[in-house]
Every structure is written in C-alpha cells, then in structure tokens.
Amino acid sequence: MRKIATALDTGSASLCVYVKDLNHLHALMLDAALEEVEDSPDLPAVERVKAILRSCLTVLLDRRGLASIAAVTMPRGTGSMRLNELLLDGLLDAGVRPERAAWGVDLLTLHVTAKAAELTAWRGQGDVVGETEAVYERADEQAFPRLSQPHQLLFAGPGPRRFDWALHSLINGITQTPLPPQAAAPEHDADNGVRHVQ
C-alpha cells in the first residue's frame, strides 16, 4: 500500500480513505479487469456462455499475478456483476432453471479461476505436463494397472480442447442436476456458510 501511495504521489493514510486494505485493493483490481470480459451475444446460448468463460480465462492470464489474486479474492463491483449477469443470461437462455443457473455461475467461474491459477503457476516451470507423463510411463504396472495402459489418455488433447470439454461437461451437469434438498445439507458447510459468486 505504501508503494502504491508513493507511485500516486500521496500518503498511505490518504490512500486508505478510498482503499481500506490490500484485499480491498485486489478486489478493485480484479473487478476492473473483469470489465474487459467480452460477450458473444450472437452465438447460441451454451456457446455464448463458453465464449464468455474463455474470454474470462484470457483476461486472467493476460495480467501478471491476476489469476493468483482471483483465486483468493471475491470481486464486488460492476465488472463482476456484469460477468455474472452475462453468464446468468446465457444459462437461462439455454433453458437452465434459475436456481441451478445461479449456483452454476459460481461453479463455472471457480473452474475458470482454478484453471487460470494452474496455468499461471506452471509458467516458467518447463514442460511440467511432459515430465509428469514420463513418470506415468515408468509406473509399475502391477501397482497401477488402470494407469498402465490408458495413461496416455490422461495427457492427450490440446489444452483449449480439454477446457472446452470441461465447460460443456459442467454446463450439462448444471442443466441436469437438481439442487440438494434443504434437509440434506450438512450441519457444517464446507465453506463455513460463505456463499460465493464471482
């Protein structure tokens, strides 16, 4: 915060009038970036949702460190609201029931954020996928019989194709899977009762 205040030629106390802490600053940064997510309104509904999410992935990857920030920050401004609006509009147009669409937005954005964070972490590490595949090729067939034959399938396919398949699988699941009944909810939520919509 002090470095930012210096860059803006002001004091950190003055900056704190507008930004209360680093988490707040990260939320503002992320929200501003999400304003740049592109819509594709002329596409069929499901393809539109996928295109919006691909654009979101690009935004997160194009800015150094943003994916890591997105993984731990909940944006709460017009950028994230617009993203949620676009995704909800696409899912509802695809015939997804409103309550599933609402939870589906969270699931889809969590996947995109996780993928962006993963790809960002791999940058500069060399061929991590190839190195991992080589480990699987040397695996003991008796210890890992299921992996010994089809292990190539775990690593097959270019990233964009796999990402597109993942989005389609998630959207199909959101469309087909009803929300659990209230009585089935655990006493202690995994997220301590925090509801996230990114």
Side-chain angles (χ1 to χ4, degrees):
M1 294 288 283
R2 284 192 297 272
K3 289 180 180 178
I4 293 168
T6 300
L8 296 174
D9 194 25
T10 186
S12 56
S14 299
L15 184 61
C16 288
V17 172
Y18 304 97
V19 181
K20 67 178 183 178
D21 56 27
L22 191 58
N23 291 330
H24 185 202
L25 178 63
H26 283 169
L28 292 172
M29 291 166 54
L30 177 57
D31 196 72
L34 292 177
E35 292 276 7
E36 299 179 22
V37 172
E38 296 179 359
D39 189 12
S40 300
D42 296 331
L43 293 177
V46 170
E47 293 307 312
R48 177 190 176 201
V49 170
K50 288 159 63 177
I52 293 166
L53 292 166
R54 282 193 293 269
S55 177
C56 185
L57 179 68
T58 298
V59 166
L60 294 178
L61 291 175
D62 279 352
R63 290 159 181 79
R64 183 179 170 211
L66 188 62
S68 299
I69 289 173
V72 296
T73 303
M74 183 178 292
R76 43 193 174 270
T78 56
S80 60
M81 290 172 67
R82 173 180 169 272
L83 174 61
N84 291 334
E85 174 75 14
L86 294 176
L87 292 173
L88 277 172
D89 191 49
L91 290 172
L92 293 172
D93 281 352
V96 179
R97 295 179 63 171
E99 68 276 10
R100 298 180 193 178
W103 284 23
V105 167
D106 184 39
L107 181 61
L108 290 166
T109 53
L110 283 172
H111 177 72
V112 172
T113 301
K115 177 53 68 176
E118 176 186 67
L119 293 174
T120 298
W122 287 353
R123 285 177 177 167
Q125 294 186 26
D127 184 13
V128 291
V129 176
E131 292 171 5
T132 305
E133 185 174 6
V135 172
Y136 276 66
E137 288 175 354
R138 298 190 299 270
D140 184 335
E141 292 187 14
Q142 289 187 327
F144 305 101
R146 295 291 187 186
L147 294 177
S148 62
Q149 295 302 319
H151 78 269
Q152 297 92 341
L153 297 177
L154 294 173
F155 302 93
R161 184 174 170 223
R162 292 173 72 107
F163 183 69
D164 190 74
W165 177 85
L167 294 181
H168 206 84
S169 298
L170 289 171
I171 293 169
N172 281 341
I174 291 164
T175 302
Q176 299 296 325
T177 309
L179 268 57
Q182 290 285 350
E187 291 183 11
H188 179 72
D189 289 343
D191 58 4
N192 288 323
V194 175
R195 298 179 178 88
H196 0 227
V197 178
Q198 291 188 6

